Amino acid sequence: MPVIVASGNGASALPAGMRILARGGSALDAVEACAKIIEADTTDTSVGRGGKPNVLGEVELDASIVDGTTHRTGAVAALTGYLHPISVARAVMERTPHVFIVGEGAARFAREIGAERTQNLTPSTRKLWVERLRSVGETPSSIRRRTKLLPVVRKTVREERGTVNFLALDRRGDIASAVTTSGWAYKYPGRVGDSPVVGAGNYSDSRYGAAACTGYGELAIRSVTAKTAVDRLAAGMPPDMVARAAIADANELEDAAFNIVVLSPKGVHASATNREGRRYVWMTTQMEEPMLAARIVVRRAARLSRS
Ligand code: ASP
């Protein structure tokens, strides 16, 4: 039975994705359509237009898409000036001999395929950026004149991140996954998180399932979290245990917010986090509305000293 699973901030997009699956559409089309809705929603300050900028006030977007049946993947990172990074990522997958294009090359490719341009920094996110700069004694013009950004970035970046994940299973049993984000607010220019890194923030394999992450992306890169989760599904671990294990791995590295959603080929899903009160969302063709559900909380145990 078709199902879509998402991070909690994907709820508003699920009915549109479900309509695609209900009429026999592909998981790949469903996850792209869902991601586009959140990218265009300026009220989500962690994704697409209205996403928070880097320390220089530029909104750099990361996205990836994985076709779990063919293992074709496409990704873009640090893309500026385009409304739908997920569709540019899909075009990388379908129209180029590559899988990952970043920065100016990604913008050039987006222009070449006629992707929709936009100013992703909105008046309200510009205001938040200016306020954050002010809180560390900087202004938009002073920060642009600086040769050394790192001392400022150390002060501007806090746990202000966010991303949207979509995992879908269609009627044919194909699974696909999409992740899109503006990454870490007020980050160093060019910083790339896990969301566009296939295997870290996003992975699917129609034989075994799919997984995608939100939270401190550096941890997902260091643990290759999404691929490890799918490997655990392949080894027969149930989705809730897989989700728990992913958070336990992250907890071993650092104390930082980290979350995962997991989907099996049978449509069984689970999600875990190391923070209280986080939710994920899912929907099947039988449901009128998406269902928000609690994520399993896996707390970080006090670290034992290794002697
Ligand atoms: N994982 C994203 C990144 O590190 C941010 C987030 O999901 O909070 O870019």
Side-chain angles (χ1 to χ4, degrees), residues 2-4 16-31 90 168-176 285:
V3 59
I4 309 182
M18 220 56 241
R19 281 195 291 278
I20 292 173
L21 297 184
R23 61 171 188 257
S26 72
L28 198 63
D29 285 346
V31 293
R90 185 167 176 176
L169 167 67
D170 66 26
R171 270 202 208 145
R172 287 173 294 279
D174 292 324
I175 293 180
T285 38

Side-chain angles (χ1 to χ4, degrees), residues 39-76:
E39 287 175 342
D41 178 356
T42 53
T43 64
D44 191 320
T45 58
S46 67
V47 177
R49 186 151 190 276
K52 288 190 185 151
N54 67 18
V55 71
L56 293 176
E58 296 152 349
V59 182
E60 293 182 321
L61 301 175
D62 299 341
S64 66
I65 191 159
V66 182
D67 178 332
T69 300
T70 61
H71 282 186
R72 289 184 313 161
T73 67
V76 288

Side-chain angles (χ1 to χ4, degrees), residues 62 161-163 181-184 191 193-195 213-218:
D62 299 341
R161 293 176 293 258
T163 296
T181 189
S182 52
W184 204 343
R191 177 267 184 186
D194 59 319
S195 307
C213 307
T214 53
Y216 186 17
E218 281 73 359

Side-chain angles (χ1 to χ4, degrees), residues 99-118:
V99 296
F100 200 175
I101 305 182
V102 307
E104 282 175 20
R108 182 185 180 120
F109 173 66
R111 187 168 63 243
E112 194 167 324
I113 62 168
E116 191 175 344
R117 283 195 59 81
T118 196

Side-chain angles (χ1 to χ4, degrees), residues 205 207-210 227-238 242 263-265:
D205 182 321
R207 294 169 297 176
Y208 310 120
K227 175 65 163 70
T228 303
V230 173
D231 286 348
R232 285 174 170 145
L233 289 170
M237 197 184 269
V242 169
L263 173 67
S264 83

